[in-house]
């Protein structure tokens, strides 16, 4: 959730204009729905002024910017002001004197002498910055440039397509810009190197008057990205032989709660055939053998709150030991296509369990296509999701409270689980009483005790109200204990996504929270800069900083209390694929849950919630061989879960280091022998 927002200005490269006194307008789309716009005005001297904004459930940036451009296309000055995604103030300036470039923003105040051309990336940039970067790269020798404060970018033209719109036919070209993120970012420009579009199944932006051509260029870009995915999968996937033997492993099988040394595991046709002491039985003939050399062997992890976007998501998941995810809101066709490609071996990715989202119409409706305001619409939505392979319905914040029990009852009749945000004007207790099986996000539990303070939780009030009041909730009170007893009695599952709130509550300008401290040095320079800036948190006055910290700590304490009370917890992130799950597990340990219990709920326990515990989540005969080899012992030190070395997903094997390298992430350091 937070990472997508944090890098929106950097990774969504849109809108442009080259002619003197030109005005370029584009529309922002979230899951195909209009959400905002950008207007870029170019003056005679090539300078540009930009207004950019979009609305995402009451969140979203609103920025005004100016940019001065040097003859080589690099930036020589400018400013940005307005607010960022969470409505924090943005004030950024850039200036050049001779060979020195100086910039100042919420986290940085620097001056650099330039010995060669370099392109400055604004910390809180507007999308037009991406077009300016593309033009500078196309001018540069070898089509590559140094980036400031750090990194290097390069550009390649991939293909050209003819489209039609209000101003007639145009030839537009697809460019790939490398060096900004984990994989290349894609940008469509016209023949004058002016913005035409950016596209993804989740968010897109396109020149006004050419909206109908988005499907055309989207299909072309999808084909290009699929080809790259196929090449990546061929290079990084090792198909298991008929029989694979893993020797000398320390095996953790969650239900037993034991770690057993010197084990041999035999895998045949992607399933575990036997597990036993090394040397007790002869090895199968014609088998391939892995000597684990004492590495920790356990079931693959489950991320129970994901939004799969393809691209780097699959490699990051598997490199991090995540072999199964539950997708809790996505474009139906796009997700189905991802699953088809992964299972065919044409892409790298985890197993994906589908949950379909339903929201109501309104100013804070989710950026989704499935909306329901009547019983007929609600039933039709449930029917569609049941028909398309979804196993769960996720109810969102703008659903009318009176529709919630209708959806729950009908979904249960169809054999689907029911979960979600607690709808606005409804308490978590009412949500449970009306048929929910599960609640997403730990803040929703706290809002149950704040109904006198905030009832309309469609907006960011569902975050800020908890930040300002959770610290004052007495977890030992009768009201809280009675509510937790209800959750236990009804067998309600809680999906806390604690990691998604950590940065939101704790990040401060120049003082980032601890969320990515363990991995930040392994990430691309542009990501490191954004994370170190601490710019992704909720706006907060200095006098309230300790209150926000205390409120977040109270959320962590609630997670521990839920576990000790027998309430079932699943580990989900709603954040960066793969990389965020280890931190989620660390937070559970900090809540007082023993590491072994944490590993169990993130494997066998999650499989049980989704009725797959007879086939997944164990190292035992008859189970699917979704396994990971870890350099360390996460039952003793949960942080070792970041040291995955090998991931086996049924009949496929992956080297974690190679997967990380493929998406511009440095592997975790190996333990000394």
């Amino acid at each position: 959730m937070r990472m997508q927002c944090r890098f929106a200005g950097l990774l969504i490269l849109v809108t442009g204009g080259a002619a003197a006194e030109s005005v370029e307008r584009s529309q922002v789309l979230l899951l195909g729905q209009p959400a905002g716009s950008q207007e870029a005005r170019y003056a005679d001297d090539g300078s540009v002024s930009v207004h950019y904004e979009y609305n995402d459930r009451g969140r979203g940036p609103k920025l005004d910017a100016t940019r001065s451009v040097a003859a080589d296309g690099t930036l020589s000055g400018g400013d940005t002001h307005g607010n960022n995604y969470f409505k924090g103030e943005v004030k950024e300036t850039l200036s050049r004197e001779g060979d020195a470039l100086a910039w100042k923003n919420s986290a940085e105040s620097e001056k650099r002498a330039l010995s060669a051309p370099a392109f400055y990336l604004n910390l809180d940039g507007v999308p037009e910055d991406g077009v300016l970067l593309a033009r500078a790269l196309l001018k540069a020798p070898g089509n590559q440039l140094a980036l400031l404060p750090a990194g290097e970018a390069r550009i390649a033209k991939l293909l050209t397509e003819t489209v039609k719109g209000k101003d007639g036919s145009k030839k537009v070209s697809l460019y790939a810009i490398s060096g900004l993120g984990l994989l290349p970012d894609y940008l469509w420009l016209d023949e004058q190197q002016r913005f035409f579009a950016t596209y993804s199944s989740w968010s897109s932006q396109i020149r006004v008057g050419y909206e109908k051509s988005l499907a055309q260029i989207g299909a072309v870009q999808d084909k290009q990205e699929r080809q790259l995915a196929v090449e990546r999968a061929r290079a990084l996937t090792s198909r298991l032989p008929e029989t694979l033997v893993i020797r000398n492993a320390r095996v953790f099988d969650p239900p037993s709660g034991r770690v057993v040394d010197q084990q041999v595991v035999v895998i045949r046709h992607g399933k575990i055939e036997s597990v036993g002491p090394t040397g007790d039985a002869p090895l199968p003939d014609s088998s391939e053998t892995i000597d684990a050399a004492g590495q920790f062997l356990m079931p693959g992890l489950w991320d129970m709150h994901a939004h799969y976007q393809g691209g780097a998501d699959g490699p990051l998941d598997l490199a991090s030991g995540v072999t199964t995810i539950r997708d809790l809101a996505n474009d139906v066709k796009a997700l189905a296509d991802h699953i088809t490609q992964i299972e065919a071996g044409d892409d790298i990715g985890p197993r994906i369990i589908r949950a379909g989202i339903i929201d109501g119409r309104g100013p804070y409706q989710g950026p989704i296509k499935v909306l329901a305001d009547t019983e007929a619409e609600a039933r039709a939505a449930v029917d569609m999701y049941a028909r398309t392979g979804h196993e769960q319905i996720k109810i969102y914040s703008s659903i009318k409270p009176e529709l919630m029990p209708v959806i729950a009852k009908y979904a249960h009749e169809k054999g689907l689980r029911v979960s979600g945000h607690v709808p606005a004007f409804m308490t978590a207790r009412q949500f449970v009483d009306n048929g929910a099986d599960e609640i997403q996000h730990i803040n929703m539990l706290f809002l149950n005790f704040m109904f006198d303070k905030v009832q309309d939780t469609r907006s960011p009030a569902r975050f800020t109200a908890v930040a300002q009041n959770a610290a004052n909730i007495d977890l030992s009170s009768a009201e809280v204990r009675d509510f937790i007893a209800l959750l236990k009695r009804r067998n309600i599952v809680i999906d806390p996504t604690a990691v998604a709130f950590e940065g939101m509550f704790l990040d401060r300008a120049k003082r980032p929270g601890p969320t990515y401290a363990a991995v930040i040095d392994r990430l691309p320079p542009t990501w490191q800069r954004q994370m170190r800036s601490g710019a992704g948190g909720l706006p907060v006055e200095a006098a309230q900083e300790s209150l926000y910290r205390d409120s977040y700590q109270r959320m962590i304490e609630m997670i521990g209390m839920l576990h000790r009370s027998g309430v079932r917890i699943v580990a989900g992130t709603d954040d960066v694929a793969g990389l965020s799950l280890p931190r989620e597990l660390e937070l559970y340990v900090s809540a007082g849950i023993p590491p072994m219990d944490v590993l169990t709920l993130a494997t066998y326990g999650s499989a049980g919630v989704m009725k797959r515990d007879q086939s997944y989540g164990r190292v035992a005969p008859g189970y699917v061989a979704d396994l990971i080899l870890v350099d360390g012992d996460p039952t003793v030190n949960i942080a070792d879960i970041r040291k995955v070395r090998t991931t086996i997903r049924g009949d496929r094997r992956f080297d974690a280091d190679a997967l990380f390298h493929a998406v511009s992430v440095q592997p975790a350091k190996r333990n000394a022998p």
Side-chain angles (χ1 to χ4, degrees):
M1 176 177 66
R2 187 165 59 91
M3 190 61 61
Q4 290 175 336
C5 304
R6 167 173 274 176
F7 294 117
L10 180 60
L11 300 182
I12 301 176
L13 307 175
V14 292
T15 306
E21 296 294 340
S22 68
V23 179
E24 297 291 335
R25 296 182 177 89
S26 59
Q27 185 177 46
V28 178
L29 304 169
L30 298 180
L31 270 181
Q33 306 303 307
S37 63
Q38 180 175 259
E39 179 180 275
R41 292 180 172 270
Y42 279 81
D44 290 337
D45 60 2
S47 63
V48 59
S49 60
V50 181
H51 177 79
Y52 170 64
E53 64 178 293
Y54 69 85
N55 176 37
D56 178 14
R57 297 156 289 173
R59 293 165 272 176
K62 185 174 183 179
L63 298 169
D64 288 284
T66 62
R67 302 286 186 260
S68 298
V69 183
D72 60 5
T74 61
L75 300 185
S76 58
D79 67 83
T80 310
H81 62 275
N83 62 260
N84 62 20
Y85 182 81
F86 279 118
K87 306 305 181 184
E89 184 181 21
V90 171
K91 294 176 72 173
E92 184 164 12
T93 59
L94 175 72
S95 61
R96 180 166 183 168
E97 294 182 9
D99 292 331
L101 197 67
W103 64 90
K104 185 175 183 179
N105 51 52
S106 62
E108 302 162 340
S109 182
E110 295 189 39
K111 187 174 184 178
R112 298 268 187 95
L114 302 179
S115 58
F119 193 95
Y120 174 74
L121 292 177
N122 285 270
L123 181 65
D124 289 292
V126 293
E128 184 68 14
D129 291 335
V131 176
L132 297 176
L133 171 62
R135 293 194 192 117
L137 289 168
L138 290 168
K139 286 184 177 182
N143 296 139
Q144 62 184 34
L145 273 173
L147 299 174
L148 288 174
E152 183 177 272
R154 56 195 176 278
I155 193 169
K157 183 177 178 179
L158 302 180
L159 52 86
T160 299
E161 189 80 3
T162 300
V163 297
K164 294 181 179 179
K166 70 171 186 176
D167 294 327
S169 296
K170 287 187 179 295
K171 288 186 176 181
V172 296
S173 297
L174 178 63
Y175 292 85
I177 300 179
S178 302
L180 298 181
L182 306 180
L183 292 173
D185 292 293
Y186 296 97
L187 169 66
W188 291 85
L189 299 177
D190 68 12
E191 290 181 288
Q192 289 74 45
Q193 296 179 8
R194 298 179 301 175
F195 163 78
F196 184 74
T198 57
Y199 162 82
S200 78
S201 62
W202 183 262
S203 63
S204 301
Q205 193 153 336
I206 190 163
R207 185 181 297 185
V208 169
Y210 286 83
E211 291 86 352
K212 291 183 179 179
S213 67
L214 188 61
Q216 175 188 345
I217 64 169
V220 171
Q221 184 177 317
D222 280 341
K223 183 178 180 180
Q224 180 73 21
E225 294 188 64
R226 280 197 299 271
Q227 181 57 42
L228 294 176
V230 169
E231 294 171 4
R232 189 166 55 241
R234 298 286 186 270
L236 297 172
T237 305
S238 296
R239 289 283 183 173
L240 266 59
E242 178 179 320
T243 304
L244 175 69
V245 177
I246 303 174
R247 300 175 58 249
N248 301 318
R250 302 184 67 233
V251 171
F252 171 57
D253 180 43
S256 71
R258 296 188 304 140
V259 178
V260 184
D261 293 341
Q262 292 296 307
Q263 297 291 289
V264 58
V265 178
V266 178
I267 300 169
R268 192 185 298 274
H269 299 300
K271 286 191 174 183
I272 299 170
E273 184 174 81
S274 64
V275 182
T278 299
D280 269 19
L283 299 181
D285 293 334
S286 303
S287 62
E288 181 179 328
T289 301
I290 296 175
D291 186 354
Q295 287 184 328
F296 187 92
L297 181 69
M298 63 172 284
L301 300 168
W302 289 48
D303 185 340
M304 292 285 276
H305 195 130
H307 300 285
Y308 191 81
Q309 296 299 302
D313 283 5
L316 278 178
D317 277 328
L318 291 176
S320 302
V322 179
T323 54
T324 302
I325 66 169
R326 182 177 62 177
D327 189 290
L328 280 170
N330 217 315
D331 179 85
V332 172
K333 182 181 183 305
L335 187 60
D337 289 345
H338 285 311
I339 292 171
T340 298
Q341 291 154 23
I342 290 169
E343 297 309 318
D346 292 333
D347 201 355
I348 294 169
R351 303 182 195 277
I352 300 176
I353 298 170
R354 286 173 278 190
I357 188 171
I358 306 174
D359 201 10
R361 297 175 181 84
Y364 299 105
Q365 69 189 49
I368 62 174
K369 299 177 181 178
V370 184
L371 303 171
D373 290 329
T374 67
E375 288 193 17
E377 288 180 329
R379 290 174 182 272
V382 172
D383 283 336
M384 182 275 292
Y385 281 130
R387 187 173 62 251
T388 52
H390 292 70
E391 301 178 32
Q392 184 166 327
I393 297 297
K394 178 184 177 183
I395 293 171
Y396 208 60
S397 301
S398 293
I399 282 289
K400 296 175 181 177
E402 61 269 24
L403 275 185
M404 185 264 149
V406 174
I407 294 171
K409 183 176 184 297
Y410 193 58
H412 288 152
E413 290 173 1
K414 293 283 184 177
L416 306 180
R417 288 174 52 77
V418 175
S419 71
H421 291 200
V422 177
F425 310 106
M426 194 176 203
T427 67
R429 178 178 282 274
Q430 291 169 335
F431 192 57
V432 170
D433 286 340
N434 281 281
D437 302 302
E438 179 177 339
I439 297 175
Q440 264 75 56
H441 306 303
I442 190 66
N443 66 317
M444 290 292 164
L445 301 192
F446 280 86
L447 289 167
N448 185 72
F449 310 108
M450 302 175 189
F451 203 61
D452 59 330
K453 296 181 176 65
V454 56
Q455 297 182 12
D456 187 351
T457 54
R458 296 173 298 173
S459 75
R462 64 176 176 265
F463 310 130
T464 56
V466 175
Q468 294 166 6
N469 294 284
N472 298 317
I473 299 294
D474 180 3
L475 298 186
S476 64
S477 68
E479 183 183 17
V480 173
R481 286 187 285 110
D482 180 64
F483 177 64
I484 292 178
L486 172 69
L487 299 177
K488 172 66 168 64
R489 188 165 62 251
R490 296 285 182 83
N491 196 29
I492 303 301
V493 174
I494 302 300
D495 166 26
T497 66
V499 71
F501 296 101
E502 187 173 39
M504 195 187 300
F505 281 45
L506 303 186
D507 275 6
R508 300 290 172 262
K510 303 181 185 179
R511 292 181 287 121
T515 306
Y516 300 104
V519 298
I520 192 168
D521 291 337
R522 298 166 50 196
L523 301 175
T526 51
W527 279 45
Q528 290 190 34
R529 181 199 184 195
Q530 291 283 333
M531 290 175 175
R532 294 185 199 281
S533 75
L538 293 170
V540 57
E541 300 294 333
Q544 288 188 308
E545 287 190 15
S546 62
L547 176 63
Y548 278 43
R549 287 195 298 271
D550 290 346
S551 289
Y552 184 68
Q553 180 58 34
R554 194 56 47 88
M555 296 166 82
I556 299 301
E557 293 167 1
M558 170 72 89
I559 293 170
M561 187 173 177
L562 291 168
H563 176 75
R564 290 187 294 276
S565 300
V567 177
R568 202 165 193 175
I569 293 171
V570 292
T573 60
D574 199 13
D575 207 276
V576 182
L579 292 177
S580 296
L581 188 60
R583 181 58 183 165
E584 184 77 12
L585 304 186
E586 283 180 333
L587 290 168
Y588 296 171
V589 173
S590 74
I593 306 176
M596 193 170 289
D597 289 356
V598 170
L599 295 176
T600 298
L601 69 86
T603 53
Y604 185 67
S606 294
V609 168
M610 301 312 299
K611 296 182 172 59
R612 284 168 166 77
D613 52 335
Q614 297 303 305
S615 299
Y616 296 90
R618 293 192 64 185
V619 186
Y623 276 71
V624 174
D626 282 5
L627 305 169
I628 57 176
L629 278 166
V630 180
D631 192 7
D633 187 344
T635 65
V636 176
N637 177 18
I638 194 66
D640 282 349
I641 200 64
R642 290 191 179 87
K643 299 176 181 177
V644 175
R645 298 306 176 196
T646 302
T647 297
I648 296 173
R649 211 214 82 162
D651 62 353
R652 309 168 197 188
R653 184 174 68 196
F654 301 91
D655 178 81
D657 289 5
L659 291 176
F660 277 130
H661 279 303
V663 291
S664 307
V665 177
Q666 294 300 309
K669 292 181 180 179
R670 293 185 177 273
N671 289 344

